[in-house]
Amino acid sequence: MYDFLIVGAGFAGSVLAERISSQLDKKVLIIDKRNHLGGNCYDYYNDIGILVHKYGPHYFRTNSKKVYNYLSKFTKWRPYEYKIRTYVNGELYPIPINRETLNKFFKINLKTEKQAKEFLKKKRIDIENPQNSEEEVISKVGWEIYKKFFKNYTIKQWGLNPKQLDPSVCGRIPIRINNDDRYFTDKIQAMPLNGYHELFQNLLNNSNIKIKLNTNYWKIKNKIKYKYLIYTGRIDEFFNYKYGKLPYRSLRFKHENYDKEYYQDWVQINYPNNYEFTRIIEIKHATGQKNSKTTIVKEFPCTNGKPFYPIPRNINYRLFEMYKKEADKIKNLIIVGRLAQYKYYNMDQVIEESLRVFENINY
Ligand SMILES: Cc1cc2nc3c(=O)[nH]c(=O)nc-3n(C[C@H](O)[C@H](O)[C@H](O)COP(=O)(O)OP(=O)(O)OC[C@H]3O[C@@H](n4cnc5c(N)ncnc54)[C@H](O)[C@@H]3O)c2cc1C
């Protein structure tokens, strides 16, 4: 008999397992159908000894001291500010768009933020209330930048025209009038010093926690006794898809090894207009690993595959709400995480949410 059965050993499940076992002194069984801990954040050393991220690059960043202090109990850090480039017209440009991007692309020489602001004012299309991602971008930077930097990348990434997507999809990427070329501006940006897998092992290192990998909830649900269920898998699957499937975008990864120290100068290069893949990642830049060989990963977005990205559209949110209402009716069930809440959470956000959920557990 367990006090809690937790389905999923990603951040949502693992943080809750850690809190419940250490703070409430309760017995937890955490299961995952995969053969490893960490959910989508899992990393491992590949055949040539390079630490790689199995499910796409995971750049940790946060403005939350609470999240950072919490995680710091389970890992040391390697401070690292992520900087990436995008390949347009045969050249590499800073992305997010900044003043340097504007100068290089339009072959001009804007020297101040004021000049950049004035310039964009002339380029932008006047739309008061953008209704979709196309309108969102052209209302900030105009058509030229939209077409070369945003349109095709979004189509590749989501399989949808930006016109069909929420303004928030492209709106998440800032437009800068200074020369800051960091990918994110969060105050804290760092990689777990020895990787994510070690961090997860430390999180779950408590004698109150039992871990079972290669274990699918649907195969064991009637064999295990527990008081509370914390479920971090797909909410539509939990209800046997009774209202229909919640759509996701997935990725196929192609790993390539090279017998040289670095393949490219940046941790990530985006390819909006060329090739089938969207980006090439060389995670070694971020992990700081020293090795004479390297591994790169090309990402090919696709429809079928692991459910990576909830698709941000109102029609999908409405479907999610129908499942959520069902979940709320079940007394000993807690749903949390990217799949269970159908929400585009970053790592720090899912950790913050899991800590909040823990505070509200009335055991
Ligand atoms: C390609 C990609 C890149 C990302 N990059 C970043 C980044 O750079 N920075 C950042 O902050 N965030 C990033 N994220 C987001 C980050 O991965 C998530 O915020 C985080 O993994 C969410 O944790 P979770 O526990 O909710 O979900 P998950 O990590 O998906 O964990 C859920 C777990 O539940 C298990 N599970 C599901 N159903 C069952 C079942 N029936 N039985 C047993 N187990 C089950 C799954 O196997 C999985 O391991 C990225 C995500 C993706 C997909």
Side-chain angles (χ1 to χ4, degrees), residues 8 10-12 32-34 39-41 55 57-59 61 215-218 233 251 308-309 337-338 345-347 350:
F11 264 124
D32 204 297
K33 61 184 177 186
R34 295 179 181 174
N40 287 340
C41 308
Y55 306 101
H58 277 72
Y59 310 129
R61 81 276 186 177
T215 305
N216 194 323
Y217 170 67
W218 299 106
L251 292 172
F308 285 146
Y309 299 106
R338 228 185 191 211
Y345 278 133
N346 289 324
M347 290 180 281
V350 91

PDB file of all heavy atoms in Angstrom, residues 8 10-12 32-34 39-41 55 57-59 61 215-218 233 251 308-309 337-338 345-347 350, ligand 1:
ATOM      1  N   GLY A   8       4.646   9.113 -14.045  1.00  0.00           N
ATOM      2  CA  GLY A   8       5.518  10.011 -14.797  1.00  0.00           C
ATOM      3  C   GLY A   8       6.665  10.521 -13.952  1.00  0.00           C
ATOM      4  O   GLY A   8       6.452  11.134 -12.907  1.00  0.00           O
ATOM      5  N   GLY A  10       9.000  12.758 -14.925  1.00  0.00           N
ATOM      6  CA  GLY A  10       9.552  14.027 -15.411  1.00  0.00           C
ATOM      7  C   GLY A  10       9.634  14.986 -14.233  1.00  0.00           C
ATOM      8  O   GLY A  10       9.532  14.567 -13.065  1.00  0.00           O
ATOM      9  N   PHE A  11       9.773  16.291 -14.515  1.00  0.00           N
ATOM     10  CA  PHE A  11       9.892  17.250 -13.418  1.00  0.00           C
ATOM     11  C   PHE A  11       8.633  17.275 -12.547  1.00  0.00           C
ATOM     12  O   PHE A  11       8.722  17.321 -11.324  1.00  0.00           O
ATOM     13  CB  PHE A  11      10.220  18.656 -13.931  1.00  0.00           C
ATOM     14  CG  PHE A  11      11.694  18.958 -13.884  1.00  0.00           C
ATOM     15  CD1 PHE A  11      12.373  19.356 -15.027  1.00  0.00           C
ATOM     16  CD2 PHE A  11      12.401  18.845 -12.701  1.00  0.00           C
ATOM     17  CE1 PHE A  11      13.742  19.629 -14.976  1.00  0.00           C
ATOM     18  CE2 PHE A  11      13.767  19.113 -12.637  1.00  0.00           C
ATOM     19  CZ  PHE A  11      14.436  19.500 -13.780  1.00  0.00           C
ATOM     20  N   ALA A  12       7.438  17.242 -13.169  1.00  0.00           N
ATOM     21  CA  ALA A  12       6.207  17.339 -12.373  1.00  0.00           C
ATOM     22  C   ALA A  12       6.160  16.196 -11.355  1.00  0.00           C
ATOM     23  O   ALA A  12       6.014  16.423 -10.143  1.00  0.00           O
ATOM     24  CB  ALA A  12       4.986  17.315 -13.283  1.00  0.00           C
ATOM     25  N   ASP A  32       7.292   5.145 -14.540  1.00  0.00           N
ATOM     26  CA  ASP A  32       7.361   5.764 -15.869  1.00  0.00           C
ATOM     27  C   ASP A  32       7.401   4.656 -16.906  1.00  0.00           C
ATOM     28  O   ASP A  32       8.059   3.641 -16.716  1.00  0.00           O
ATOM     29  CB  ASP A  32       8.581   6.682 -16.013  1.00  0.00           C
ATOM     30  CG  ASP A  32       8.337   7.734 -17.085  1.00  0.00           C
ATOM     31  OD1 ASP A  32       8.149   7.364 -18.277  1.00  0.00           O
ATOM     32  OD2 ASP A  32       8.285   8.938 -16.745  1.00  0.00           O
ATOM     33  N   LYS A  33       6.702   4.883 -17.994  1.00  0.00           N
ATOM     34  CA  LYS A  33       6.697   3.846 -19.035  1.00  0.00           C
ATOM     35  C   LYS A  33       8.011   3.835 -19.817  1.00  0.00           C
ATOM     36  O   LYS A  33       8.341   2.866 -20.475  1.00  0.00           O
ATOM     37  CB  LYS A  33       5.502   4.024 -19.953  1.00  0.00           C
ATOM     38  CG  LYS A  33       5.438   5.324 -20.708  1.00  0.00           C
ATOM     39  CD  LYS A  33       4.138   5.395 -21.502  1.00  0.00           C
ATOM     40  CE  LYS A  33       4.032   6.731 -22.217  1.00  0.00           C
ATOM     41  NZ  LYS A  33       2.769   6.918 -22.883  1.00  0.00           N
ATOM     42  N   ARG A  34       8.768   4.920 -19.725  1.00  0.00           N
ATOM     43  CA  ARG A  34      10.071   4.949 -20.401  1.00  0.00           C
ATOM     44  C   ARG A  34      11.097   4.193 -19.554  1.00  0.00           C
ATOM     45  O   ARG A  34      10.826   3.858 -18.403  1.00  0.00           O
ATOM     46  CB  ARG A  34      10.528   6.394 -20.592  1.00  0.00           C
ATOM     47  CG  ARG A  34       9.624   7.167 -21.533  1.00  0.00           C
ATOM     48  CD  ARG A  34      10.089   8.595 -21.680  1.00  0.00           C
ATOM     49  NE  ARG A  34       9.208   9.343 -22.554  1.00  0.00           N
ATOM     50  CZ  ARG A  34       9.318  10.659 -22.757  1.00  0.00           C
ATOM     51  NH1 ARG A  34      10.255  11.341 -22.162  1.00  0.00           N
ATOM     52  NH2 ARG A  34       8.479  11.264 -23.558  1.00  0.00           N
ATOM     53  N   GLY A  39      11.767  12.315 -17.787  1.00  0.00           N
ATOM     54  CA  GLY A  39      10.813  12.703 -18.836  1.00  0.00           C
ATOM     55  C   GLY A  39      11.548  13.266 -20.032  1.00  0.00           C
ATOM     56  O   GLY A  39      12.607  12.743 -20.427  1.00  0.00           O
ATOM     57  N   ASN A  40      11.063  14.378 -20.547  1.00  0.00           N
ATOM     58  CA  ASN A  40      11.668  14.952 -21.749  1.00  0.00           C
ATOM     59  C   ASN A  40      12.997  15.642 -21.484  1.00  0.00           C
ATOM     60  O   ASN A  40      13.660  16.081 -22.415  1.00  0.00           O
ATOM     61  CB  ASN A  40      10.696  15.951 -22.395  1.00  0.00           C
ATOM     62  CG  ASN A  40       9.553  15.230 -23.062  1.00  0.00           C
ATOM     63  OD1 ASN A  40       9.648  14.048 -23.375  1.00  0.00           O
ATOM     64  ND2 ASN A  40       8.450  15.934 -23.265  1.00  0.00           N
ATOM     65  N   CYS A  41      13.374  15.758 -20.225  1.00  0.00           N
ATOM     66  CA  CYS A  41      14.638  16.437 -19.910  1.00  0.00           C
ATOM     67  C   CYS A  41      15.819  15.454 -19.857  1.00  0.00           C
ATOM     68  O   CYS A  41      16.961  15.875 -19.591  1.00  0.00           O
ATOM     69  CB  CYS A  41      14.533  17.157 -18.567  1.00  0.00           C
ATOM     70  SG  CYS A  41      13.098  18.221 -18.474  1.00  0.00           S
ATOM     71  N   TYR A  55      15.614  14.281 -25.915  1.00  0.00           N
ATOM     72  CA  TYR A  55      14.380  14.818 -26.498  1.00  0.00           C
ATOM     73  C   TYR A  55      14.492  16.313 -26.796  1.00  0.00           C
ATOM     74  O   TYR A  55      13.603  17.094 -26.450  1.00  0.00           O
ATOM     75  CB  TYR A  55      13.197  14.560 -25.553  1.00  0.00           C
ATOM     76  CG  TYR A  55      13.055  13.112 -25.156  1.00  0.00           C
ATOM     77  CD1 TYR A  55      13.497  12.667 -23.912  1.00  0.00           C
ATOM     78  CD2 TYR A  55      12.493  12.171 -26.021  1.00  0.00           C
ATOM     79  CE1 TYR A  55      13.382  11.339 -23.539  1.00  0.00           C
ATOM     80  CE2 TYR A  55      12.368  10.840 -25.651  1.00  0.00           C
ATOM     81  CZ  TYR A  55      12.816  10.426 -24.417  1.00  0.00           C
ATOM     82  OH  TYR A  55      12.693   9.106 -24.050  1.00  0.00           O
ATOM     83  N   PRO A  57      17.061  20.032 -27.024  1.00  0.00           N
ATOM     84  CA  PRO A  57      17.906  20.751 -26.073  1.00  0.00           C
ATOM     85  C   PRO A  57      17.082  21.327 -24.942  1.00  0.00           C
ATOM     86  O   PRO A  57      16.014  21.896 -25.171  1.00  0.00           O
ATOM     87  CB  PRO A  57      18.488  21.893 -26.910  1.00  0.00           C
ATOM     88  CG  PRO A  57      17.452  22.145 -27.956  1.00  0.00           C
ATOM     89  CD  PRO A  57      16.852  20.804 -28.271  1.00  0.00           C
ATOM     90  N   HIS A  58      17.562  21.200 -23.744  1.00  0.00           N
ATOM     91  CA  HIS A  58      16.871  21.765 -22.585  1.00  0.00           C
ATOM     92  C   HIS A  58      17.750  22.810 -21.927  1.00  0.00           C
ATOM     93  O   HIS A  58      18.697  22.484 -21.210  1.00  0.00           O
ATOM     94  CB  HIS A  58      16.463  20.649 -21.615  1.00  0.00           C
ATOM     95  CG  HIS A  58      15.177  20.013 -22.032  1.00  0.00           C
ATOM     96  ND1 HIS A  58      15.095  19.192 -23.128  1.00  0.00           N
ATOM     97  CD2 HIS A  58      13.920  20.133 -21.550  1.00  0.00           C
ATOM     98  CE1 HIS A  58      13.825  18.817 -23.284  1.00  0.00           C
ATOM     99  NE2 HIS A  58      13.096  19.373 -22.340  1.00  0.00           N
ATOM    100  N   TYR A  59      17.431  24.070 -22.207  1.00  0.00           N
ATOM    101  CA  TYR A  59      18.167  25.208 -21.655  1.00  0.00           C
ATOM    102  C   TYR A  59      17.434  25.661 -20.403  1.00  0.00           C
ATOM    103  O   TYR A  59      16.311  26.147 -20.498  1.00  0.00           O
ATOM    104  CB  TYR A  59      18.195  26.375 -22.653  1.00  0.00           C
ATOM    105  CG  TYR A  59      18.638  26.017 -24.071  1.00  0.00           C
ATOM    106  CD1 TYR A  59      17.874  26.381 -25.169  1.00  0.00           C
ATOM    107  CD2 TYR A  59      19.839  25.340 -24.298  1.00  0.00           C
ATOM    108  CE1 TYR A  59      18.286  26.086 -26.467  1.00  0.00           C
ATOM    109  CE2 TYR A  59      20.256  25.036 -25.594  1.00  0.00           C
ATOM    110  CZ  TYR A  59      19.468  25.414 -26.674  1.00  0.00           C
ATOM    111  OH  TYR A  59      19.873  25.115 -27.951  1.00  0.00           O
ATOM    112  N   ARG A  61      16.447  28.057 -17.567  1.00  0.00           N
ATOM    113  CA  ARG A  61      16.491  29.484 -17.225  1.00  0.00           C
ATOM    114  C   ARG A  61      15.262  29.814 -16.404  1.00  0.00           C
ATOM    115  O   ARG A  61      14.216  29.159 -16.549  1.00  0.00           O
ATOM    116  CB  ARG A  61      16.579  30.357 -18.473  1.00  0.00           C
ATOM    117  CG  ARG A  61      15.277  30.616 -19.200  1.00  0.00           C
ATOM    118  CD  ARG A  61      14.908  29.495 -20.150  1.00  0.00           C
ATOM    119  NE  ARG A  61      13.726  29.832 -20.926  1.00  0.00           N
ATOM    120  CZ  ARG A  61      13.207  29.093 -21.861  1.00  0.00           C
ATOM    121  NH1 ARG A  61      13.725  27.909 -22.143  1.00  0.00           N
ATOM    122  NH2 ARG A  61      12.142  29.474 -22.522  1.00  0.00           N
ATOM    123  N   THR A 215       7.252   0.897 -16.858  1.00  0.00           N
ATOM    124  CA  THR A 215       5.989   0.503 -16.231  1.00  0.00           C
ATOM    125  C   THR A 215       4.877   1.447 -16.663  1.00  0.00           C
ATOM    126  O   THR A 215       4.889   2.629 -16.318  1.00  0.00           O
ATOM    127  CB  THR A 215       6.131   0.556 -14.682  1.00  0.00           C
ATOM    128  OG1 THR A 215       7.242  -0.269 -14.325  1.00  0.00           O
ATOM    129  CG2 THR A 215       4.879   0.073 -13.989  1.00  0.00           C
ATOM    130  N   ASN A 216       3.960   0.903 -17.446  1.00  0.00           N
ATOM    131  CA  ASN A 216       2.857   1.715 -17.938  1.00  0.00           C
ATOM    132  C   ASN A 216       1.688   1.675 -16.959  1.00  0.00           C
ATOM    133  O   ASN A 216       1.258   0.600 -16.538  1.00  0.00           O
ATOM    134  CB  ASN A 216       2.408   1.192 -19.312  1.00  0.00           C
ATOM    135  CG  ASN A 216       1.514   2.189 -20.012  1.00  0.00           C
ATOM    136  OD1 ASN A 216       0.685   2.871 -19.389  1.00  0.00           O
ATOM    137  ND2 ASN A 216       1.689   2.289 -21.317  1.00  0.00           N
ATOM    138  N   TYR A 217       1.204   2.837 -16.620  1.00  0.00           N
ATOM    139  CA  TYR A 217       0.094   2.952 -15.664  1.00  0.00           C
ATOM    140  C   TYR A 217      -1.073   2.047 -16.049  1.00  0.00           C
ATOM    141  O   TYR A 217      -1.680   1.393 -15.198  1.00  0.00           O
ATOM    142  CB  TYR A 217      -0.355   4.418 -15.611  1.00  0.00           C
ATOM    143  CG  TYR A 217      -1.634   4.660 -14.855  1.00  0.00           C
ATOM    144  CD1 TYR A 217      -1.693   4.450 -13.487  1.00  0.00           C
ATOM    145  CD2 TYR A 217      -2.787   5.093 -15.515  1.00  0.00           C
ATOM    146  CE1 TYR A 217      -2.867   4.663 -12.776  1.00  0.00           C
ATOM    147  CE2 TYR A 217      -3.965   5.320 -14.817  1.00  0.00           C
ATOM    148  CZ  TYR A 217      -4.003   5.097 -13.459  1.00  0.00           C
ATOM    149  OH  TYR A 217      -5.162   5.311 -12.770  1.00  0.00           O
ATOM    150  N   TRP A 218      -1.370   2.004 -17.341  1.00  0.00           N
ATOM    151  CA  TRP A 218      -2.558   1.265 -17.779  1.00  0.00           C
ATOM    152  C   TRP A 218      -2.412  -0.235 -17.555  1.00  0.00           C
ATOM    153  O   TRP A 218      -3.382  -0.955 -17.479  1.00  0.00           O
ATOM    154  CB  TRP A 218      -2.872   1.584 -19.248  1.00  0.00           C
ATOM    155  CG  TRP A 218      -3.132   3.048 -19.347  1.00  0.00           C
ATOM    156  CD1 TRP A 218      -2.293   3.984 -19.879  1.00  0.00           C
ATOM    157  CD2 TRP A 218      -4.251   3.754 -18.806  1.00  0.00           C
ATOM    158  NE1 TRP A 218      -2.835   5.234 -19.719  1.00  0.00           N
ATOM    159  CE2 TRP A 218      -4.031   5.121 -19.072  1.00  0.00           C
ATOM    160  CE3 TRP A 218      -5.407   3.374 -18.133  1.00  0.00           C
ATOM    161  CZ2 TRP A 218      -4.938   6.105 -18.671  1.00  0.00           C
ATOM    162  CZ3 TRP A 218      -6.301   4.362 -17.749  1.00  0.00           C
ATOM    163  CH2 TRP A 218      -6.067   5.703 -18.025  1.00  0.00           C
ATOM    164  N   GLY A 233       0.673  12.160 -17.039  1.00  0.00           N
ATOM    165  CA  GLY A 233       0.581  11.749 -18.447  1.00  0.00           C
ATOM    166  C   GLY A 233      -0.496  12.550 -19.172  1.00  0.00           C
ATOM    167  O   GLY A 233      -1.016  13.546 -18.658  1.00  0.00           O
ATOM    168  N   LEU A 251       8.523  15.714 -32.719  1.00  0.00           N
ATOM    169  CA  LEU A 251       9.810  15.927 -33.390  1.00  0.00           C
ATOM    170  C   LEU A 251      10.472  14.582 -33.639  1.00  0.00           C
ATOM    171  O   LEU A 251      10.345  13.661 -32.837  1.00  0.00           O
ATOM    172  CB  LEU A 251      10.761  16.736 -32.499  1.00  0.00           C
ATOM    173  CG  LEU A 251      10.443  18.198 -32.200  1.00  0.00           C
ATOM    174  CD1 LEU A 251      11.418  18.727 -31.141  1.00  0.00           C
ATOM    175  CD2 LEU A 251      10.549  19.049 -33.459  1.00  0.00           C
ATOM    176  N   PHE A 308       5.014  16.163 -27.831  1.00  0.00           N
ATOM    177  CA  PHE A 308       5.933  17.164 -27.281  1.00  0.00           C
ATOM    178  C   PHE A 308       5.282  18.518 -27.034  1.00  0.00           C
ATOM    179  O   PHE A 308       5.394  19.080 -25.959  1.00  0.00           O
ATOM    180  CB  PHE A 308       7.136  17.345 -28.209  1.00  0.00           C
ATOM    181  CG  PHE A 308       8.120  16.210 -28.129  1.00  0.00           C
ATOM    182  CD1 PHE A 308       8.828  15.812 -29.248  1.00  0.00           C
ATOM    183  CD2 PHE A 308       8.344  15.543 -26.938  1.00  0.00           C
ATOM    184  CE1 PHE A 308       9.746  14.775 -29.178  1.00  0.00           C
ATOM    185  CE2 PHE A 308       9.253  14.502 -26.860  1.00  0.00           C
ATOM    186  CZ  PHE A 308       9.954  14.123 -27.989  1.00  0.00           C
ATOM    187  N   TYR A 309       4.649  19.056 -28.078  1.00  0.00           N
ATOM    188  CA  TYR A 309       4.141  20.428 -27.953  1.00  0.00           C
ATOM    189  C   TYR A 309       2.623  20.459 -28.048  1.00  0.00           C
ATOM    190  O   TYR A 309       2.070  20.143 -29.101  1.00  0.00           O
ATOM    191  CB  TYR A 309       4.691  21.308 -29.074  1.00  0.00           C
ATOM    192  CG  TYR A 309       6.187  21.438 -29.115  1.00  0.00           C
ATOM    193  CD1 TYR A 309       6.939  20.774 -30.084  1.00  0.00           C
ATOM    194  CD2 TYR A 309       6.859  22.229 -28.192  1.00  0.00           C
ATOM    195  CE1 TYR A 309       8.322  20.896 -30.143  1.00  0.00           C
ATOM    196  CE2 TYR A 309       8.247  22.363 -28.239  1.00  0.00           C
ATOM    197  CZ  TYR A 309       8.960  21.689 -29.217  1.00  0.00           C
ATOM    198  OH  TYR A 309      10.326  21.807 -29.276  1.00  0.00           O
ATOM    199  N   GLY A 337       1.396  18.960 -14.797  1.00  0.00           N
ATOM    200  CA  GLY A 337       2.442  18.765 -15.799  1.00  0.00           C
ATOM    201  C   GLY A 337       1.987  19.142 -17.191  1.00  0.00           C
ATOM    202  O   GLY A 337       0.827  19.470 -17.432  1.00  0.00           O
ATOM    203  N   ARG A 338       2.951  19.089 -18.098  1.00  0.00           N
ATOM    204  CA  ARG A 338       2.739  19.558 -19.462  1.00  0.00           C
ATOM    205  C   ARG A 338       1.635  18.781 -20.195  1.00  0.00           C
ATOM    206  O   ARG A 338       0.824  19.349 -20.908  1.00  0.00           O
ATOM    207  CB  ARG A 338       4.045  19.397 -20.237  1.00  0.00           C
ATOM    208  CG  ARG A 338       4.406  20.650 -20.996  1.00  0.00           C
ATOM    209  CD  ARG A 338       5.626  20.406 -21.845  1.00  0.00           C
ATOM    210  NE  ARG A 338       6.088  21.696 -22.339  1.00  0.00           N
ATOM    211  CZ  ARG A 338       6.699  21.869 -23.495  1.00  0.00           C
ATOM    212  NH1 ARG A 338       6.937  20.844 -24.273  1.00  0.00           N
ATOM    213  NH2 ARG A 338       7.083  23.065 -23.878  1.00  0.00           N
ATOM    214  N   TYR A 345       4.481  24.396 -20.773  1.00  0.00           N
ATOM    215  CA  TYR A 345       5.302  24.779 -19.627  1.00  0.00           C
ATOM    216  C   TYR A 345       6.788  24.667 -19.943  1.00  0.00           C
ATOM    217  O   TYR A 345       7.227  23.657 -20.496  1.00  0.00           O
ATOM    218  CB  TYR A 345       5.081  23.798 -18.468  1.00  0.00           C
ATOM    219  CG  TYR A 345       3.888  24.025 -17.599  1.00  0.00           C
ATOM    220  CD1 TYR A 345       3.049  22.954 -17.277  1.00  0.00           C
ATOM    221  CD2 TYR A 345       3.615  25.261 -17.045  1.00  0.00           C
ATOM    222  CE1 TYR A 345       1.964  23.119 -16.440  1.00  0.00           C
ATOM    223  CE2 TYR A 345       2.529  25.433 -16.206  1.00  0.00           C
ATOM    224  CZ  TYR A 345       1.705  24.364 -15.910  1.00  0.00           C
ATOM    225  OH  TYR A 345       0.647  24.538 -15.081  1.00  0.00           O
ATOM    226  N   ASN A 346       7.574  25.642 -19.528  1.00  0.00           N
ATOM    227  CA  ASN A 346       9.014  25.439 -19.483  1.00  0.00           C
ATOM    228  C   ASN A 346       9.343  24.713 -18.185  1.00  0.00           C
ATOM    229  O   ASN A 346       8.493  24.609 -17.299  1.00  0.00           O
ATOM    230  CB  ASN A 346       9.750  26.777 -19.528  1.00  0.00           C
ATOM    231  CG  ASN A 346       9.635  27.396 -20.904  1.00  0.00           C
ATOM    232  OD1 ASN A 346       9.654  26.683 -21.916  1.00  0.00           O
ATOM    233  ND2 ASN A 346       9.493  28.702 -20.951  1.00  0.00           N
ATOM    234  N   MET A 347      10.604  24.283 -18.055  1.00  0.00           N
ATOM    235  CA  MET A 347      10.967  23.500 -16.868  1.00  0.00           C
ATOM    236  C   MET A 347      10.697  24.272 -15.577  1.00  0.00           C
ATOM    237  O   MET A 347      10.109  23.737 -14.638  1.00  0.00           O
ATOM    238  CB  MET A 347      12.448  23.104 -16.919  1.00  0.00           C
ATOM    239  CG  MET A 347      12.745  22.079 -17.985  1.00  0.00           C
ATOM    240  SD  MET A 347      14.488  21.646 -18.026  1.00  0.00           S
ATOM    241  CE  MET A 347      15.186  23.007 -18.909  1.00  0.00           C
ATOM    242  N   VAL A 350       7.014  24.375 -14.761  1.00  0.00           N
ATOM    243  CA  VAL A 350       6.410  23.125 -14.290  1.00  0.00           C
ATOM    244  C   VAL A 350       6.872  22.826 -12.857  1.00  0.00           C
ATOM    245  O   VAL A 350       6.113  22.295 -12.038  1.00  0.00           O
ATOM    246  CB  VAL A 350       6.667  21.967 -15.294  1.00  0.00           C
ATOM    247  CG1 VAL A 350       7.917  21.196 -14.990  1.00  0.00           C
ATOM    248  CG2 VAL A 350       5.488  21.025 -15.318  1.00  0.00           C
TER     249      VAL A 350
HETATM  250  C1  LIG B   1      11.811  19.461 -27.648  1.00  0.00           C
HETATM  251  C2  LIG B   1      11.603  20.138 -26.327  1.00  0.00           C
HETATM  252  C3  LIG B   1      12.507  21.095 -25.924  1.00  0.00           C
HETATM  253  C4  LIG B   1      12.318  21.751 -24.702  1.00  0.00           C
HETATM  254  N1  LIG B   1      13.235  22.682 -24.330  1.00  0.00           N
HETATM  255  C5  LIG B   1      13.078  23.314 -23.149  1.00  0.00           C
HETATM  256  C6  LIG B   1      14.036  24.288 -22.737  1.00  0.00           C
HETATM  257  O1  LIG B   1      15.006  24.583 -23.430  1.00  0.00           O
HETATM  258  N2  LIG B   1      13.831  24.896 -21.543  1.00  0.00           N
HETATM  259  C7  LIG B   1      12.762  24.617 -20.739  1.00  0.00           C
HETATM  260  O2  LIG B   1      12.644  25.205 -19.657  1.00  0.00           O
HETATM  261  N3  LIG B   1      11.855  23.689 -21.114  1.00  0.00           N
HETATM  262  C8  LIG B   1      11.988  23.034 -22.290  1.00  0.00           C
HETATM  263  N4  LIG B   1      11.073  22.087 -22.670  1.00  0.00           N
HETATM  264  C9  LIG B   1       9.931  21.808 -21.764  1.00  0.00           C
HETATM  265  C10 LIG B   1      10.242  20.720 -20.733  1.00  0.00           C
HETATM  266  O3  LIG B   1      10.574  19.524 -21.386  1.00  0.00           O
HETATM  267  C11 LIG B   1       8.993  20.532 -19.869  1.00  0.00           C
HETATM  268  O4  LIG B   1       8.673  21.713 -19.189  1.00  0.00           O
HETATM  269  C12 LIG B   1       9.121  19.430 -18.820  1.00  0.00           C
HETATM  270  O5  LIG B   1       9.705  18.282 -19.335  1.00  0.00           O
HETATM  271  C13 LIG B   1       7.730  19.088 -18.316  1.00  0.00           C
HETATM  272  O6  LIG B   1       7.798  18.098 -17.338  1.00  0.00           O
HETATM  273  P1  LIG B   1       6.580  17.120 -17.103  1.00  0.00           P
HETATM  274  O7  LIG B   1       6.925  16.284 -15.941  1.00  0.00           O
HETATM  275  O8  LIG B   1       5.314  17.889 -17.075  1.00  0.00           O
HETATM  276  O9  LIG B   1       6.457  16.253 -18.441  1.00  0.00           O
HETATM  277  P2  LIG B   1       7.388  15.141 -19.100  1.00  0.00           P
HETATM  278  O10 LIG B   1       8.814  15.510 -19.021  1.00  0.00           O
HETATM  279  O11 LIG B   1       6.789  14.906 -20.457  1.00  0.00           O
HETATM  280  O12 LIG B   1       7.159  13.852 -18.191  1.00  0.00           O
HETATM  281  C14 LIG B   1       5.968  13.099 -18.225  1.00  0.00           C
HETATM  282  C15 LIG B   1       6.361  11.649 -18.039  1.00  0.00           C
HETATM  283  O13 LIG B   1       5.165  10.863 -17.872  1.00  0.00           O
HETATM  284  C16 LIG B   1       5.394   9.599 -18.446  1.00  0.00           C
HETATM  285  N5  LIG B   1       4.106   8.950 -18.740  1.00  0.00           N
HETATM  286  C17 LIG B   1       3.112   9.418 -19.528  1.00  0.00           C
HETATM  287  N6  LIG B   1       2.089   8.521 -19.567  1.00  0.00           N
HETATM  288  C18 LIG B   1       2.454   7.476 -18.792  1.00  0.00           C
HETATM  289  C19 LIG B   1       1.844   6.237 -18.455  1.00  0.00           C
HETATM  290  N7  LIG B   1       0.625   5.883 -18.936  1.00  0.00           N
HETATM  291  N8  LIG B   1       2.488   5.384 -17.640  1.00  0.00           N
HETATM  292  C20 LIG B   1       3.724   5.706 -17.147  1.00  0.00           C
HETATM  293  N9  LIG B   1       4.369   6.864 -17.449  1.00  0.00           N
HETATM  294  C21 LIG B   1       3.735   7.733 -18.254  1.00  0.00           C
HETATM  295  C22 LIG B   1       6.183   9.937 -19.725  1.00  0.00           C
HETATM  296  O14 LIG B   1       6.883   8.802 -20.190  1.00  0.00           O
HETATM  297  C23 LIG B   1       7.088  11.062 -19.244  1.00  0.00           C
HETATM  298  O15 LIG B   1       8.361  10.579 -18.851  1.00  0.00           O
HETATM  299  C24 LIG B   1      11.208  21.436 -23.884  1.00  0.00           C
HETATM  300  C25 LIG B   1      10.305  20.460 -24.307  1.00  0.00           C
HETATM  301  C26 LIG B   1      10.480  19.828 -25.516  1.00  0.00           C
HETATM  302  C27 LIG B   1       9.495  18.796 -25.959  1.00  0.00           C
END
